[in-house]
Amino acid sequence: MPSCRRKRVVLTEPSDALLHAVQTDPHKHVFYLDQTGEIFETYEAYAARMSFYRLKQFQCEVTGKSGLDYFQAVESERQEARTLHSRFSEPLKPAVLKAVQWQVMGRLDHLVEAVYERFKDRYFAGEKILVDLSGTKYYARVEKVYPPKYNSDRKARDAHMDPSSSSNLSLEDDPPHLIGGDLKVQSKDANTSDNPSLYYYWVYVLELEKDKSHEKGKSSAKTIERDGKMVGSLLEVQCGMMSRDRLSFSKSILRRFIRDCVDREAAVASPWTVKPSIARRYGVDSVMPEETRKGVETIKRGEIDKRKKAWEEKEGPPTKKQKKMTAAQEERVRAFASAVEKREREAREKAEKQRLAKEEAERIAAEKKKKKPIRYPTEDLDIRIADKDRKAGLRVMRPLANRACLPFNETPGTFEAFLMTWNFLVVYGQPLHLSVFSLDEFEHAIRHSAADQLCPLIAEIHSSLIYNLRTVGFTRHGALLSFLKRREELLDGKQHESPVLGIALDDLIAAMADTGNNWERVPLRHTEGREGWEDALVGCLKDHANLQNFPRLEEILVKLLFAPELPSDDAGDSVSGSRPQTPDQNVLKQFVPPNERYHTLPPEDRIAILSFMCNLAISSKAIHAHMESCEEQLTALRKEKIEVNRMKKQYQEEMSMLLGETKEEISPASNANGEDVIMQDSSELSRQKDLRIKTQTIAHSKEREAARAKQASQKQAIAEHRRLDEEVNKLERRLEGIEREFRKLLGAVRVKPLGRDRFFNRIWWFDGLGSASLVGSGGAALYGTGRLFIQGPSEFDLDQLYKRKVEEKEDLEPRRREEEGDEGTLGSREWAAYNDLEEVEALVAWLNQKGHRELALKTALTKWWVHITAGMRRRMADITASAKIPDARRSARKSALGYDLSRDPYMLWTNRRAINAS
């Protein structure tokens, strides 16, 4: 049995409830672990046990190998057991097992030693042994064994060579080594009563022993031929001439064999017992004889008494019954007892003082350890705002993020689906052949409900997704099959079908039968305004969706295919600015084409459809090929970035060298002779005066030439420095471009947040990902969302916070209320946004750089700060420009004020990628 951390692994027994279920519920579904035969009631228990077995912490009990999983350890033990049982002599196994059965020995090594000493000179019929004949060893097989009673009767021994002899039966009825193999008999008595040296054996010589590697080539051909004549002969030998191969019988092999075949209980003085299956195989008695049982119990009682006596001696001798003492004796005893008690009290007080001193020393050491300076950055939650930081004006509460500004945030999960859908369409705009559009434009397109004026953005998005989903595998009429299956389940369960918005399931199935059947072949041309995309959408949903992967399918199809029975005059006579009646407020009865009903769908249903289609499109070949292309471009960009940084470093080193040369001190011009500056007397000879003037002229001319050369060199160095500076600026601009390209390509592979704050809230910035850009032509700022989003901690992060609360006994809720505010505390899957630049600046000021997470977040915000702020300013400018017309008037082409809906930015959007591709 494999061991784990020095403890044997015990298999899990079925629970009482599971055993009871065998009688009450025999068809109950359970989880069965085939390798061990264990049965589990729940998948969690099964998975936990399987995970435990897969840990690399088990040890093979036979070989001692560690670092294995449970199944590897079991296989190792089985392999070693097979090897062991194939090597160990088969005729010797029953004798050894009968000898160790019911033996009481504390250590396995002592049992192995006793068995080895008893059987090393005792052999049994059928054993393969080695026989030494005049220094030459042969492999032989024991044919017959003669007990000591045949020691002096050679004729009787020779008579057993004849198979037809009647004495054969008497030999078989007299098993050998009965006394010698009994470990209950003392070794000395066993050798006296059953001396192994008095046994005779008839052996059949099989072959010469194989030569050892160091003895090969030493034997001559004649010697081999002479020794080979003994092969096939029958000889009579004794134990002195016999031995066993060390690979089949040694203390280590014997120990492994016994350990594999026997077991023992944990109680004191428990006997070694042969495992039941092995005992049945080799004919070992599994029922303890009464005499043996009494002997075991006697040994057990003696061992218990011995331990009890040792314990009593350790605690102190029992008090003896004393004679009645006189008053003087009692006084002396009381004085002695008082003195003893005093000494014991002093000893206890001394021990208590030592204990208190030790605790105080440990407390001081712990305080010193706590006072060690903390190395920053560290865990964010370990950092607390000190009073001096508060007085210095450090921001304590995170700026409140706006939840009300998020579109479609009234229904849980709708905004997240809306945001992820927009991100997918923008990131994969190139393989989908969609031009970039902003989140605000997407929001207005989703809210568009004017029946007389179609929204090109909605048509292009659906058409692009439909074209993409034609390459994804689907089940023909999967939605209809799903509806029929549900109807059968309702009939089997004798449940009544509840109509959806007044439409029965049969009516919906009949309406779907003839709608959108050729959706994968319909040409949705861009030049024709993608006419027919609504029918193709219904066909796409029919083949790709079902009630399992799209639970709201039935309700949405009912809204797309049925309309309320309203007078025809009421349908087109809607008041400008009034919201059309939604299907939820009416009972739908009349079948209409989908193109007449899509504009009445609420935004939640439109987002659900697009989110479902985007989840399917992610598995298309076009998207996968685009991801692979982005990975290749990322690799190329990484290499280019390394090369650009290398060139930049080289240029900077050259600039430093040039700067050092130009800053060298210019030594002032000096005369060659100090005497030249001394005023000469007018009485000097004219010849000396002319010589001096000539010398000064030559020196001045040399200085001017040196100054002109130095000035020219400095100009050249400055020009070179300016050129290198321009090259460095070019490389820095290229590095900025590489970072932008890297962000675009990485966003197509995986979208990650900028970082997390101390409470694991994630900060998202979606601009500049995939097919979107941060900088337009002429360096103009572009944006997709133009804001920062904050998402609450995930379930895993909440578990981490709860674990910290349990382990460190720190309740973080008061701290979150203090530093986030009651309204600012976000739950899992809750979102908010920072729209203003002042809010983002306040967020950056709130972040503490001493924490790991907030340091990384602040670094990322600083890195992209220019583009974040530029996008926010650009969005606010666009909102201000379009705020002149109230946003509520979106339901008609023109309002009473003459507002034209077609001039809205989302209506002016054109799909340039589709135009270029057509």
Side-chain angles (χ1 to χ4, degrees):
M1 183 65 69
S3 59
C4 178
R5 295 173 184 156
R6 300 185 180 180
K7 292 183 181 179
R8 299 181 70 181
V9 179
V10 181
L11 299 181
T12 304
E13 296 291 337
S15 62
D16 296 336
L18 200 57
L19 295 175
H20 181 67
V22 174
Q23 306 296 332
T24 59
D25 187 11
H27 299 290
K28 179 181 176 66
H29 291 283
V30 294
F31 296 89
Y32 177 66
L33 188 56
D34 186 44
Q35 293 92 329
T36 61
E38 294 172 293
I39 301 174
F40 302 93
E41 227 175 330
T42 62
Y43 177 76
E44 288 74 14
Y46 168 83
R49 193 66 175 176
M50 179 60 78
S51 301
F52 170 69
Y53 285 150
R54 291 297 183 189
L55 295 176
K56 299 285 186 178
Q57 60 182 13
F58 293 91
Q59 183 178 15
C60 174
E61 195 176 21
V62 179
T63 62
K65 291 180 182 177
S66 59
L68 309 175
D69 62 29
Y70 179 81
F71 306 112
Q72 291 173 342
V74 169
E75 182 59 30
S76 175
E77 290 184 359
R78 288 176 181 171
Q79 181 64 31
E80 289 298 321
R82 286 193 290 266
T83 305
L84 170 67
H85 285 279
S86 64
R87 288 181 178 177
F88 199 81
S89 177
E90 194 68 25
L92 189 59
K93 290 178 182 179
V96 171
L97 295 176
K98 290 176 182 177
V100 301
Q101 181 76 314
W102 316 123
Q103 291 300 314
V104 180
M105 289 192 183
R107 292 175 57 86
L108 181 63
D109 294 337
H110 298 164
L111 183 63
V112 172
E113 189 72 26
V115 173
Y116 181 79
E117 291 297 329
R118 289 295 181 93
F119 287 94
K120 67 178 182 178
D121 293 328
R122 300 180 186 275
Y123 302 90
F124 297 84
E127 273 197 86
K128 186 177 180 181
I129 60 167
L130 288 171
V131 180
D132 190 349
L133 301 176
S134 302
T136 304
K137 290 189 177 183
Y138 298 86
Y139 284 107
R141 182 177 64 250
V142 177
E143 296 292 333
K144 297 185 185 298
V145 182
Y146 305 114
K149 68 180 183 180
Y150 297 100
N151 183 32
S152 57
D153 192 354
R154 183 178 182 84
K155 292 182 180 180
R157 297 199 305 271
D158 293 341
H160 289 296
M161 292 183 61
D162 186 6
S164 62
S165 175
S166 60
S167 60
N168 257 346
L169 297 174
S170 62
L171 184 62
E172 291 176 1
D173 293 338
D174 191 10
H177 311 298
L178 281 179
I179 301 176
D182 190 357
L183 295 182
K184 301 182 187 68
V185 182
Q186 295 294 327
S187 178
K188 186 176 180 181
D189 297 339
N191 290 335
T192 301
S193 304
D194 192 15
N195 194 346
S197 62
L198 298 180
Y199 277 80
Y200 281 86
Y201 305 90
W202 280 102
V203 298
Y204 180 77
V205 180
L206 299 173
E207 59 179 341
L208 275 167
E209 183 187 18
K210 294 181 176 61
D211 291 338
K212 303 293 188 295
S213 59
H214 62 280
E215 296 177 353
K216 287 182 180 179
K218 292 186 179 180
S219 301
S220 62
K222 291 183 178 180
T223 304
I224 294 174
E225 182 180 357
R226 183 194 65 200
D227 294 339
K229 292 180 180 179
M230 298 298 295
V231 176
S233 59
L234 195 63
L235 303 175
E236 185 184 59
V237 295
Q238 287 184 289
C239 65
M241 305 168 62
M242 304 166 68
S243 62
R244 293 186 179 93
D245 193 346
R246 286 189 58 81
L247 292 178
S248 63
F249 187 80
S250 64
K251 288 184 180 180
S252 62
I253 295 292
L254 187 61
R255 186 178 190 277
R256 288 165 58 185
F257 173 73
I258 294 176
R259 184 173 59 183
D260 189 57
C261 296
V262 302
D263 204 350
R264 183 176 64 173
E265 295 180 358
V268 177
S270 296
W272 294 96
T273 57
V274 180
K275 295 177 180 178
S277 59
I278 299 176
R280 287 193 298 269
R281 179 178 177 184
Y282 293 104
V284 181
D285 191 6
S286 296
V287 180
M288 185 184 294
E290 185 65 23
E291 182 182 354
T292 305
R293 185 183 63 78
K294 291 181 180 179
V296 170
E297 289 180 354
T298 302
I299 296 173
K300 186 177 292 188
R301 281 197 301 271
E303 187 66 26
I304 292 173
D305 293 340
K306 187 189 299 183
R307 294 192 177 189
K308 186 177 180 181
K309 185 177 179 181
W311 179 258
E312 289 176 350
E313 289 177 354
K314 181 179 179 182
E315 292 293 325
T319 57
K320 295 181 180 180
K321 188 176 181 181
Q322 297 185 9
K323 298 178 181 180
K324 190 174 182 180
M325 295 182 293
T326 62
Q329 289 176 339
E330 289 180 359
E331 184 64 28
R332 285 196 298 271
V333 169
R334 281 195 296 270
F336 178 75
S338 177
V340 170
E341 184 180 356
K342 183 179 180 181
R343 285 197 297 270
E344 290 179 354
R345 185 170 63 254
E346 292 175 353
R348 285 196 299 270
E349 291 175 355
K350 184 177 180 181
E352 183 68 17
K353 289 180 180 178
Q354 291 177 351
R355 185 184 65 81
L356 292 175
K358 184 178 180 181
E359 290 180 356
E360 183 67 18
E362 290 177 354
R363 186 184 63 80
I364 294 173
E367 288 181 356
K368 288 182 179 179
K369 187 176 181 180
K370 287 182 180 178
K371 289 180 180 178
K372 288 184 178 179
I374 302 174
R375 297 184 63 182
Y376 296 109
T378 184
E379 167 58 36
D380 297 72
L381 293 175
D382 291 338
I383 303 170
R384 294 301 187 99
I385 301 176
D387 293 336
K388 62 177 182 180
D389 295 330
R390 296 172 187 266
K391 294 178 181 179
L394 184 65
R395 191 181 183 96
V396 177
M397 182 180 292
R398 190 187 66 207
L400 184 63
N402 194 343
R403 302 192 198 191
C405 69
L406 298 181
F408 318 114
N409 202 26
E410 299 82 9
T411 306
T414 304
F415 168 74
E416 185 171 344
F418 165 75
L419 184 61
M420 293 303 108
T421 301
W422 172 83
N423 182 69
F424 177 84
L425 296 173
V426 170
V427 166
Y428 298 108
Q430 183 175 349
L432 293 175
H433 303 291
L434 270 177
S435 295
V436 178
F437 50 89
S438 69
L439 189 66
D440 295 329
E441 292 171 347
F442 187 49
E443 176 192 352
H444 294 151
I446 291 292
R447 295 186 186 276
H448 182 83
S449 58
D452 57 343
Q453 193 169 4
L454 301 179
C455 178
L457 180 55
I458 288 292
E460 290 293 332
I461 289 174
H462 285 85
S463 301
S464 299
L465 290 174
I466 289 169
Y467 272 118
N468 185 271
L469 292 181
R470 290 176 179 178
T471 63
V472 179
F474 56 84
T475 302
R476 180 68 69 181
H477 301 301
L480 295 176
L481 296 175
S482 179
F483 292 154
L484 293 173
K485 182 179 178 182
R486 194 185 71 173
R487 187 174 63 179
E488 292 177 0
E489 292 175 354
L490 292 174
L491 292 176
D492 294 340
K494 296 181 179 180
Q495 299 178 5
H496 295 288
E497 176 190 344
S498 57
V500 178
L501 300 176
I503 302 299
L505 188 58
D506 292 337
D507 296 336
L508 177 61
I509 293 174
M512 292 172 60
D514 298 327
T515 306
N517 290 329
N518 297 321
W519 70 274
E520 70 273 17
R521 292 186 293 274
V522 174
L524 305 176
R525 296 185 178 88
H526 173 72
T527 55
E528 298 176 359
R530 306 292 188 181
E531 182 180 356
W533 69 266
E534 294 91 346
D535 289 342
L537 172 64
V538 175
C540 178
L541 293 178
K542 279 173 54 179
D543 290 346
H544 278 286
N546 53 58
L547 292 176
Q548 284 71 37
N549 59 14
F550 197 7
R552 299 187 57 210
L553 176 64
E554 183 179 359
E555 178 186 353
I556 290 176
L557 287 176
V558 166
K559 294 178 183 179
L560 275 173
L561 297 175
F562 292 90
E565 283 188 344
L566 295 175
S568 58
D569 297 338
D570 298 342
D573 209 13
S574 58
V575 180
S576 175
S578 64
R579 185 180 179 89
Q581 288 184 331
T582 61
D584 294 334
Q585 299 172 353
N586 300 279
V587 177
L588 307 181
K589 294 182 179 180
Q590 182 180 0
F591 171 75
V592 293
N595 59 345
E596 298 181 9
R597 290 294 298 164
Y598 185 85
H599 68 277
T600 64
L601 280 182
E604 292 77 12
D605 294 342
R606 302 187 188 188
I607 293 170
I609 294 173
L610 289 174
S611 177
F612 171 74
M613 297 177 73
C614 290
N615 289 334
L616 291 178
I618 195 67
S619 60
S620 64
K621 293 181 180 179
I623 300 297
H624 281 195
H626 181 69
M627 286 184 178
E628 293 175 359
S629 173
C630 291
E631 290 282 5
E632 295 174 358
Q633 295 180 56
L634 283 171
T635 303
L637 280 178
R638 291 187 184 100
K639 295 179 180 179
E640 183 182 358
K641 184 178 180 181
I642 293 173
E643 182 65 22
V644 170
N645 280 322
R646 187 186 63 80
M647 294 295 297
K648 179 183 174 183
K649 183 179 179 181
Q650 179 180 347
Y651 289 155
Q652 288 176 341
E653 290 176 353
E654 294 179 5
M655 289 171 62
S656 299
M657 293 175 60
L658 291 173
L659 193 61
E661 292 177 359
T662 55
K663 285 186 177 181
E664 288 181 355
E665 293 183 0
I666 303 175
S667 57
S670 59
N671 293 312
N673 259 322
E675 297 177 353
D676 292 339
V677 297
I678 300 173
M679 295 298 295
Q680 299 292 332
D681 189 76
S682 58
S683 61
E684 292 280 338
L685 296 175
S686 59
R687 189 176 62 83
Q688 294 178 355
K689 183 177 180 180
D690 295 339
L691 183 61
R692 186 176 63 251
I693 292 172
K694 186 177 181 180
T695 304
Q696 289 178 353
T697 304
I698 294 172
H700 290 162
S701 62
K702 289 182 178 179
E703 288 177 1
R704 284 193 297 272
E705 290 178 2
R708 282 195 296 271
K710 198 162 191 176
Q711 188 175 6
S713 176
Q714 288 177 354
K715 288 182 179 179
Q716 184 178 1
I718 292 171
E720 182 66 15
H721 187 278
R722 188 181 298 111
R723 185 188 68 81
L724 292 175
D725 190 28
E726 291 176 358
E727 293 293 334
V728 169
N729 291 334
K730 289 180 183 178
L731 294 178
E732 287 178 350
R733 289 192 295 272
R734 180 55 192 150
L735 284 175
E736 292 177 2
I738 289 175
E739 289 294 336
R740 292 195 299 271
E741 290 294 324
F742 198 88
R743 175 175 171 81
K744 290 176 63 175
L745 296 172
L746 191 62
V749 179
R750 67 186 69 88
V751 181
K752 297 193 299 183
L754 287 177
R756 298 181 296 173
D757 67 4
R758 66 195 68 165
F759 299 114
F760 297 96
N761 296 302
R762 285 167 286 181
I763 308 298
W764 294 88
W765 181 51
F766 294 98
D767 294 0
L769 298 179
S771 61
S773 299
L774 293 172
V775 180
S777 59
L782 301 177
Y783 69 92
T785 61
R787 65 195 102 168
L788 288 183
F789 295 96
I790 179 169
Q791 183 187 15
S794 63
E795 294 292 341
F796 176 79
D797 295 332
L798 290 176
D799 290 341
Q800 297 296 316
L801 293 175
Y802 178 75
K803 188 183 297 183
R804 180 182 178 90
K805 176 182 178 181
V806 173
E807 293 178 355
E808 301 188 11
K809 298 180 180 179
E810 180 186 3
D811 189 5
L812 293 174
E813 290 303 320
R815 182 177 176 184
R816 292 193 69 179
R817 285 194 296 270
E818 179 188 6
E819 299 182 14
E820 291 184 315
D822 293 334
E823 298 181 4
T825 303
L826 298 175
S828 179
R829 303 193 68 180
E830 291 185 352
W831 291 75
Y834 291 110
N835 299 309
D836 298 331
L837 188 58
E838 293 77 8
E839 295 176 348
V840 179
E841 291 175 348
L843 173 66
V844 174
W846 177 76
L847 297 176
N848 196 329
Q849 299 185 70
K850 295 180 179 179
H852 288 295
R853 292 187 293 276
E854 295 194 356
L855 174 61
L857 175 58
K858 194 167 186 176
T859 303
L861 287 170
T862 305
K863 177 181 178 182
W864 299 104
W865 183 256
V866 175
H867 300 289
I868 293 173
T869 55
M872 295 182 74
R873 291 192 187 97
R874 177 72 181 272
R875 176 175 179 268
M876 295 307 297
D878 292 345
I879 291 175
T880 304
S882 62
K884 298 177 182 179
I885 305 300
D887 195 31
R889 299 183 178 91
R890 298 284 184 186
S891 59
R893 181 179 180 88
K894 286 189 178 182
S895 65
L897 298 176
Y899 170 63
D900 190 356
L901 187 64
S902 63
R903 295 181 181 180
D904 274 5
Y906 79 97
M907 295 294 289
L908 296 174
W909 177 87
T910 56
N911 191 3
R912 299 186 182 278
R913 286 197 170 96
I915 292 172
N916 296 334
S918 59

